[in-house]
Amino acid sequence: MAGTEGITQQELNNSTGETRDETDSKKNDYLQSKVEGKALSKEEKLKLRKEKKQQKKNKKDDKGPAKEEKAKKPVPVMDGQQAQQQKAPPTSPLVTPEAPPTGEKSGKSKVELRADRRARQDVDRTSKQGKKGDRSQLASTAKTKAPPSEPQPVVKRLPEHIQADDPAVLKKVAKKLERQQIPLRSDYGSKVSLFSHLHQYSRKAPLTQQMSIPSTVIHPSIVHLGLQYSQGIIAGSNSRCIALLHAFKQVIRDYATPRNEELSRDLVNKLKPYISFLNQCRPLSASMGNAIKYIKKEISNVSSNIKEEEAKTTLQNCIDKYIEEKIHLAAKAISKSAFEKISDGDVILVYGCSSLVNYILCDAYERGRKFRVIVVDSRPRLEGRETLRRLVKKGLSCTYVLITAVSYMLPEVSKVFLGAHALLANGYVMSRVGASQIALVAKAYNVPVLVCCETYKFCERVQTDSFVSNELDDPDDLIVTRKGKTELQNWQDIPSLRLLNLVYDVTPPDFVDLVITDLGMIPCTSVPVVLRVKNVDQ
Amino acid sequence: MELQAVVMAAGGGSRMMDLTYSMPKPLLPVGNKPLIWYPLNLLEKIGFEEVIVITTKEVHKQMNIDTKMKLEMVYIQEDADMGTADALRHIQQKIKTDILVVSCDLITDVALHEVVDLFRAHDATLSMLMSKTHEFTETVPGQKGKKKTGEQRDFVGVDSSGKRLLFMANEADLDEELVIKKSIMRKHPRMHIKTGLVDAHLYCLKKSVVDFLADNKSITSIRGELIPYLVRKQFSASTNSQKTKDDSEKNQKKTDLKTPDIHISSKDEDLLDLAREKSCWNDHRGDMSDAYHGGKLRCYVHIMEDSMCYRVNTLAAYIEANRLAPKVFSEELPIHPTAEISEQSMVGADSIIGAACHVSEKSSIKRSTIGASSCIKEKVKITNSIIMNGVTIEEGCNIQGSVICNQAVISRGADIKYCLVGSGQCIEAEAERNNEVIVGIDQLMEI
């Protein structure tokens, strides 16, 4: 009993053993046999050995000529072979593109070897067809090319802006920018080692220093925009997106299709250097990224038989519609939902300056709710002052504290409203640095945390910590002069001192109780659902 | 197209008539290059490809500048007595976008992007360049007594960031007191007033300003009238959406200036305003108003500290510029290859010899500039001087700290100290002149 079990186990092992290394399968077999050791008899052991030898021989035969042909790519071929032996039909496209006739010649000619291999593959296919016909077919319909269960090395491409310490990537980026005629912005100051993979720029060295003054390569409104981004005049997710779309409207207005080109393709190519330029001035936000995707899609969908003027007006109307729908109407919808969550006598805590949260609070106040607000602020941006100004101007009664006093204020607070820069696909909230602190402390005091975010800021990225992908602001912002003395004036001369000025941080979904979006009030973990629905819509 | 460059080269040089009565100011040699070469070089280095040059026909005839840019010459009559604003009005048809106005007598190596960035980032109506005054150390020929100071001082008021221009007045316009409007103090309680600044006469102006000039013919000078008007207009009540019922002309002026770029549709302007409204940035803090106090007209200034900036409109400035400009702008050899210099002469390292010069033996030239086709005979000592083109200096002369203009002849054995010898003049032999301005009799009559 045990013996047969052992054997069937080993058979299974052997069939799946092709997925692992030979050593592994041998080990497992050995271990298995050890476990059921006394059950195996001598004959069974012999049988095992024979079967193993057979398997090895089969494998060698398959691999052999392939290996001789291309010693260069043994792994994919092996994987291809193995994958092939697992699931039948469309793996031949997997193998044949991976086996181009490379330089090395074996005894037989390449064509003959290929023919041999194909014949063998057919035989294997038909033998396996019966066993795993259904399963493999399902798998194949789903993904034709992708490897199923084994660890085929998937080439993961990291975005370039988080590889600032990799010289190869830097060279690539420099080449790309040179091709697009955009100057490269150089990093400034020594970075904290944990964040050395991110770029750190100085506000005193703008990109325009290296560009010609009547900018010919980049449209003037994009240069204006880039300057406004890098100097912080336009800051805040919604604001940056609207300004970007405004600049794109100018670009489209001034665009003229060159001869022999199509608007749908040429305009997208024209936008690429502009986007690189803006990225150099300040890394793009998630809202900007989504807006750019939308515009590119709209441009490529412009049909080629309508006139240029008409196409341009259509595009501009699309942009207006996007802003109207995704920002204005979304704000109204969110405000309506949030109104239900704000009750009379509430004490609401807000952090930093979020245009959406300000809108919600002002709207609720106008509609007659009685509540007061605690504005929490943090250095070096001190954006809370702007929030304070706007709310007080409206007539709300406000309290202003720095983030260091948050745990003193929380016993009074009934709700926390946070804005978001982006909502990631795993439910994490990316917001201004300090927001996760507030959410954490609020959780400790059992105060509900509500995040308000429009759906166009939902992003397919996944991030679980604030280190992987972030933005480093100008470290000189941390320097403050009090009573004529500037302590950190020569911080660069001290070799062991690094200044860190982070911009974003990431809040886990356990600390967020509710996300108010224009689609309704959803829990944080439903973000992937929204993304999926959006993708299906598009 | 983002910016159009305009070079004003029609001015007379009224403050240094001794130099300019024979040669127009744009062509005065500084470091053996005509004065107008310096602003054109500045524009070319930055990346301008086309420049509009407003000048007279005579200047253009004598001008030979090789530059890669396309120079579009606009001629005005020499005796038309046009102010700089009048000149702008003259070329209003050619102006299609925002402009950068430079005067021909500006010698500077400033990073112009600082001025233009202020213009772009804050969507300013005016952005200008100013520099800290440098003391002139060289003795100026013909100057008797102390230098005149305090006459032409400019009072410039900037806000605490040092960039926003709040107040500008010239001492000549003020009687005894400096008057500052309450509206300015309410919006900018901290204002720094500076007096030791030189206006570089480099302005970035919006197109709407040029259009406004076209309608208001009473403004003749940019520096004298337009700039103070714009600076005052930032805080005038009417630009902040209040209507005043003064004479209709004034009203028209105000409404003209209120509308920003005319060709942008109003919807787009709304978008920009919306973006700014949602942005969490403010240029000031402490009061309840929005960024820029909601004002649409903004004037900015960039005050240079370190680099060189000279406006060559007085004799002192001219001499100083001659001393320092070649050090910064020297691309060619100090001694022109076609100059013939005999071996026994001594030419100092910081001297510049022009083309086809002739320097004979035993002459010594120190810290001086010799123009083209000049002839220096033997045993001449030239120190700290500026010799222009076609000058003949006979043997045994001793020239110190002087300016010798075109075609002058200094006869044998003359001893010239701190003098200005006008164009075509002839100094008799064995003359001894000290601290004099030697010009022709007819020029004396002009003054």
Side-chain angles (χ1 to χ4, degrees):
Chain A
M1 276 294 296
T4 46
E5 273 179 30
I7 290 173
T8 45
Q9 272 272 347
Q10 277 155 352
E11 270 184 358
L12 274 171
N13 280 342
N14 280 333
S15 62
T16 56
E18 293 130 23
T19 65
R20 301 174 253 154
D21 285 337
E22 297 174 291
T23 46
D24 270 358
S25 59
K26 259 199 255 169
K27 236 199 245 171
N28 272 338
D29 290 349
Y30 181 58
L31 283 170
Q32 285 240 323
S33 56
K34 256 200 145 180
V35 160
E36 305 155 306
K38 295 170 189 165
L40 282 178
S41 63
K42 250 194 182 176
E43 301 114 48
E44 275 145 14
K45 279 193 201 158
L46 274 170
K47 238 188 177 177
L48 267 175
R49 258 182 250 141
K50 264 195 200 160
E51 279 180 6
K52 263 193 240 162
K53 272 197 197 155
Q54 261 295 329
Q55 294 294 335
K56 269 195 228 168
K57 221 181 156 194
N58 281 342
K59 257 200 257 178
K60 259 198 192 157
D61 278 348
D62 290 344
K63 283 192 226 163
K67 261 194 181 161
E68 281 171 33
E69 270 203 20
K70 352 168 269 161
K72 290 178 196 169
K73 294 189 202 174
V75 175
V77 174
M78 218 183 2
D79 283 349
Q81 297 281 351
Q82 291 168 352
Q84 230 216 317
Q85 282 167 1
Q86 274 231 326
K87 56 172 208 160
T91 49
S92 44
L94 186 62
V95 176
T96 39
E98 287 174 351
T102 49
E104 304 191 72
K105 287 194 179 170
S106 53
K108 304 184 194 171
S109 83
K110 281 182 231 168
V111 182
E112 288 174 22
L113 283 168
R114 244 189 283 166
D116 273 342
R117 243 188 309 125
R118 271 206 209 108
R120 228 179 297 118
Q121 285 165 15
D122 287 333
V123 168
D124 287 333
R125 209 180 301 152
T126 46
S127 67
K128 292 284 180 180
Q129 193 94 24
K131 273 194 204 172
K132 302 183 185 182
D134 299 4
R135 253 192 286 159
S136 51
Q137 260 178 7
L138 274 172
S140 61
T141 46
K143 335 169 193 174
T144 51
K145 233 188 167 187
S149 56
E150 32 195 55
Q152 181 144 0
V154 177
V155 176
K156 257 215 170 100
R157 257 197 288 155
L158 292 166
E160 294 155 342
H161 69 274
I162 60 169
Q163 288 185 291
D165 54 352
D166 187 349
V169 173
L170 287 175
K171 246 204 287 184
K172 219 173 42 155
V173 170
K175 252 199 251 173
K176 180 177 95 160
L177 290 176
E178 212 183 294
R179 203 183 48 229
Q180 293 174 330
Q181 294 176 283
I182 297 170
L184 176 70
R185 203 168 179 193
S186 44
D187 282 359
Y188 166 77
S190 45
K191 300 183 233 177
V192 172
S193 51
L194 267 175
F195 293 94
S196 57
H197 60 284
L198 300 169
H199 286 288
Q200 182 172 280
Y201 301 125
S202 166
R203 200 159 295 139
K204 293 197 212 89
L207 207 50
T208 49
Q209 222 171 15
Q210 307 160 42
M211 288 170 56
S212 71
I213 290 236
S215 59
T216 39
V217 178
I218 313 239
H219 192 273
S221 56
I222 302 273
V223 177
H224 287 223
L225 189 63
L227 262 176
Q228 287 176 327
Y229 281 167
S230 63
Q231 293 187 7
I233 295 174
I234 302 243
S237 192
N238 278 336
S239 163
R240 283 166 73 184
C241 184
I242 296 177
L244 174 75
L245 291 173
H246 165 80
F248 277 174
K249 273 178 91 171
Q250 314 282 78
V251 169
I252 292 175
R253 187 198 63 196
D254 294 337
Y255 172 74
T257 326
R259 249 188 284 164
N260 307 330
E261 293 279 353
E262 271 195 31
L263 183 134
S264 53
R265 255 173 272 143
D266 188 57
L267 187 53
V268 179
N269 287 339
K270 274 249 161 47
L271 288 180
K272 283 204 188 126
Y274 300 164
I275 296 168
S276 306
F277 172 76
L278 291 175
N279 208 356
Q280 286 284 297
C281 289
R282 193 176 162 193
L284 296 181
S285 65
S287 58
M288 287 165 70
N290 288 342
I292 290 173
K293 265 194 229 148
Y294 172 76
I295 290 210
K296 282 193 176 166
K297 195 172 69 95
E298 287 296 314
I299 295 177
S300 348
N301 286 347
V302 164
S303 70
S304 40
N305 32 6
I306 59 175
K307 280 194 299 188
E308 185 181 314
E309 279 309 310
E310 230 181 278
K312 291 209 279 197
T313 10
T314 331
L315 286 172
Q316 296 190 334
N317 290 340
C318 279
I319 292 182
D320 286 331
K321 204 174 67 146
Y322 185 81
I323 295 179
E324 181 64 28
E325 275 177 23
K326 308 276 180 181
I327 301 182
H328 278 142
L329 291 179
K332 288 208 184 96
I334 294 176
S335 176
K336 208 161 148 207
S337 319
F339 183 71
E340 300 159 23
K341 291 289 174 190
I342 301 178
S343 14
D344 282 333
D346 257 351
V347 179
I348 297 183
L349 187 123
V350 295
Y351 177 65
C353 185
S354 163
S355 54
L356 185 56
V357 173
N358 292 347
Y359 180 81
I360 290 174
L361 294 177
C362 294
D363 201 37
Y365 181 75
E366 263 173 35
R367 290 207 230 170
R369 282 276 195 264
K370 307 268 177 288
F371 59 95
R372 67 183 180 95
V373 180
I374 299 183
V375 179
V376 179
D377 202 6
S378 72
R379 276 197 70 224
R381 283 178 174 241
L382 291 170
E383 289 171 337
R385 295 187 295 194
E386 257 311 287
T387 314
L388 186 65
R389 178 184 74 79
R390 287 171 206 207
L391 295 180
V392 170
K393 196 169 177 190
K394 199 74 184 181
L396 285 147
S397 56
C398 300
T399 312
Y400 176 87
V401 290
L402 286 181
I403 194 171
T404 44
V406 128
S407 52
Y408 290 102
M409 304 302 295
L410 264 170
E412 304 177 7
V413 173
S414 56
K415 291 187 183 68
V416 175
F417 272 81
L418 291 178
H421 172 258
L423 239 63
L424 305 174
N426 55 349
Y428 279 63
V429 177
M430 185 180 215
S431 181
R432 187 66 84 219
V433 65
S436 71
Q437 272 295 308
I438 305 246
L440 173 68
V441 181
K443 185 81 180 177
Y445 281 86
N446 278 323
V447 173
V449 174
L450 292 91
V451 169
C452 309
C453 183
E454 299 96 334
T455 46
Y456 86 104
K457 290 186 195 158
F458 285 18
C459 160
E460 311 250 336
R461 257 182 331 129
V462 168
Q463 207 177 318
T464 52
D465 59 52
S466 316
F467 297 95
V468 156
S469 174
N470 209 324
E471 188 187 327
L472 293 178
D473 209 357
D474 190 351
D476 290 338
D477 284 349
L478 293 173
I479 301 177
V480 67
T481 306
R482 291 212 175 93
K483 296 188 187 165
K485 274 204 298 182
T486 318
E487 301 288 355
L488 284 173
Q489 200 163 33
N490 303 316
W491 68 275
Q492 306 229 40
D493 302 335
I494 307 172
S496 53
L497 180 63
R498 316 277 164 101
L499 293 185
L500 177 66
N501 191 355
L502 274 183
V503 181
Y504 299 117
D505 73 5
V506 157
T507 311
D510 330 328
F511 299 150
V512 176
D513 295 303
L514 192 66
V515 177
I516 309 180
T517 69
D518 39 323
L519 291 178
M521 301 198 252
I522 58 176
C524 228
T525 44
S526 303
V527 170
V529 177
V530 172
L531 280 171
R532 198 158 30 109
V533 166
K534 259 204 312 182
N535 283 339
V536 166
D537 275 346
Q538 286 169 0
Chain B
M1 244 222 296
E2 193 188 352
L3 274 183
Q4 273 177 291
V6 177
V7 176
M8 300 276 186
S14 48
R15 273 177 272 189
M16 37 187 203
M17 284 310 291
D18 312 320
L19 283 174
T20 53
Y21 69 86
S22 56
M23 182 165 7
K25 189 168 86 163
L27 299 173
L28 277 179
V30 173
N32 279 349
K33 297 197 189 78
L35 187 54
I36 198 175
W37 180 87
Y38 289 90
L40 287 177
N41 181 45
L42 175 70
L43 293 173
E44 186 175 350
K45 263 202 298 203
I46 291 180
F48 274 94
E49 285 166 15
E50 291 181 10
V51 180
I52 300 176
V53 182
I54 302 182
T55 182
T56 59
K57 282 213 182 76
E58 290 81 51
V59 168
H60 187 208
K61 262 191 260 166
Q62 300 174 34
M63 190 168 92
N64 55 341
I65 311 232
D66 56 337
T67 166
K68 297 195 195 72
M69 302 190 292
K70 181 172 114 54
L71 300 179
E72 188 180 335
M73 311 302 260
V74 174
Y75 299 122
I76 59 173
Q77 298 294 346
E78 199 176 282
D79 44 359
D81 196 20
M82 269 183 141
T84 38
D86 296 325
L88 273 187
R89 202 175 297 129
H90 186 75
I91 55 167
Q92 194 232 345
Q93 300 301 320
K94 297 192 201 278
I95 306 281
K96 307 272 180 288
T97 164
D98 303 336
I99 56 172
L100 175 68
V101 180
V102 191
S103 170
C104 67
D105 55 9
L106 177 67
I107 299 183
T108 179
D109 62 347
V110 72
L112 254 191
H113 76 91
E114 308 253 6
V115 179
V116 184
D117 279 352
L118 281 174
F119 185 69
R120 290 162 170 160
H122 298 278
D123 201 22
T125 311
L126 159 73
S127 171
M128 56 190 281
L129 176 69
M130 290 193 126
S131 160
K132 294 229 156 79
T133 333
H134 300 274
E135 283 296 315
F136 295 142
T137 50
E138 306 281 339
T139 330
V140 179
Q143 198 166 63
K144 296 158 177 66
K146 279 192 294 190
K147 277 188 262 199
K148 44 180 168 58
T149 49
E151 263 290 334
Q152 304 263 333
R153 261 195 312 182
D154 272 326
F155 290 92
V156 179
V158 291
D159 75 341
S160 38
S161 73
K163 298 280 173 195
R164 180 89 191 263
L165 187 55
L166 303 175
F167 179 79
M168 176 172 285
N170 193 294
E171 190 163 357
D173 297 331
L174 305 169
D175 288 328
E176 290 171 1
E177 310 154 327
L178 192 81
V179 178
I180 301 178
K181 281 168 74 169
K182 234 201 249 177
S183 53
I184 307 180
M185 295 310 292
R186 238 181 261 132
K187 292 181 183 165
H188 299 269
R190 278 180 169 256
M191 177 157 61
H192 298 268
I193 301 196
K194 304 183 187 238
T195 49
L197 292 179
V198 162
D199 183 354
H201 210 287
L202 190 150
Y203 309 113
C204 279
L205 292 166
K206 266 216 174 119
K207 181 174 182 303
S208 48
V209 177
V210 182
D211 297 335
F212 161 74
L213 272 183
D215 294 333
N216 295 282
K217 310 216 189 295
S218 56
I219 297 187
T220 50
S221 154
I222 296 184
R223 177 66 185 86
E225 290 165 41
L226 182 62
I227 305 288
Y229 176 78
L230 288 175
V231 174
R232 273 198 315 269
K233 206 81 178 109
Q234 288 178 98
F235 302 104
S236 103
S238 56
T239 46
N240 299 336
S241 75
Q242 269 175 4
K243 289 203 182 111
T244 55
K245 291 205 168 101
D246 291 355
D247 35 318
S248 56
E249 215 187 73
K250 267 200 201 161
N251 240 351
Q252 208 190 17
K253 275 192 216 174
K254 284 163 187 162
T255 46
D256 276 346
L257 213 43
K258 205 178 163 202
T259 54
D261 295 322
I262 304 163
H263 62 275
I264 296 182
S265 70
S266 54
K267 195 108 187 285
D268 280 0
E269 199 54 34
D270 288 344
L271 263 187
L272 252 186
D273 285 339
L274 180 68
R276 277 216 202 101
E277 186 196 310
K278 289 201 182 262
S279 165
C280 50
W281 178 86
N282 205 324
D283 66 326
H284 66 279
R285 58 187 182 91
D287 66 357
M288 295 291 270
S289 42
D290 293 327
Y292 307 126
H293 300 277
K296 298 226 180 268
L297 216 178
R298 301 181 275 275
C299 300
Y300 284 86
V301 63
H302 173 68
I303 301 181
M304 271 182 17
E305 311 261 321
D306 305 331
S307 344
M308 182 177 73
C309 175
Y310 289 105
R311 276 209 66 209
V312 180
N313 51 6
T314 57
L315 189 52
Y318 177 70
I319 296 179
E320 188 83 10
N322 252 301
R323 195 71 57 231
L324 295 172
K327 290 198 186 129
V328 179
F329 290 96
S330 55
E331 289 140 10
E332 303 142 5
L333 301 164
I335 301 179
H336 203 274
T338 59
E340 289 173 24
I341 306 189
S342 73
E343 284 118 23
Q344 289 176 5
S345 61
M346 276 202 328
V347 177
D350 36 10
S351 298
I352 301 185
I353 316 279
C357 264
H358 209 90
V359 180
S360 311
E361 300 102 44
K362 300 206 186 126
S363 296
S364 109
I365 303 178
K366 288 198 188 109
R367 296 186 75 214
S368 300
T369 312
I370 318 280
S373 311
S374 289
C375 186
I376 319 280
K377 297 272 179 351
E378 299 86 13
K379 295 209 197 106
V380 172
K381 258 178 66 173
I382 305 182
T383 333
N384 256 347
S385 300
I386 299 167
I387 319 276
M388 294 197 199
N389 306 336
V391 171
T392 312
I393 304 187
E394 309 279 340
E395 47 290 354
C397 286
N398 183 355
I399 303 185
Q400 199 179 342
S402 303
V403 178
I404 319 277
C405 295
N406 282 354
Q407 317 297 332
V409 175
I410 316 284
S411 310
R412 209 165 348 113
D415 187 9
I416 316 270
K417 283 203 182 80
Y418 303 113
C419 290
L420 179 113
V421 178
S423 162
Q425 296 302 308
C426 182
I427 308 288
E428 60 278 8
E430 308 289 339
E432 268 194 36
R433 305 297 186 101
N434 198 340
N435 205 3
E436 285 177 34
V437 174
I438 305 158
V439 292
I441 306 169
D442 38 345
Q443 275 71 42
L444 282 171
M445 294 297 279
E446 256 188 52
I447 305 166

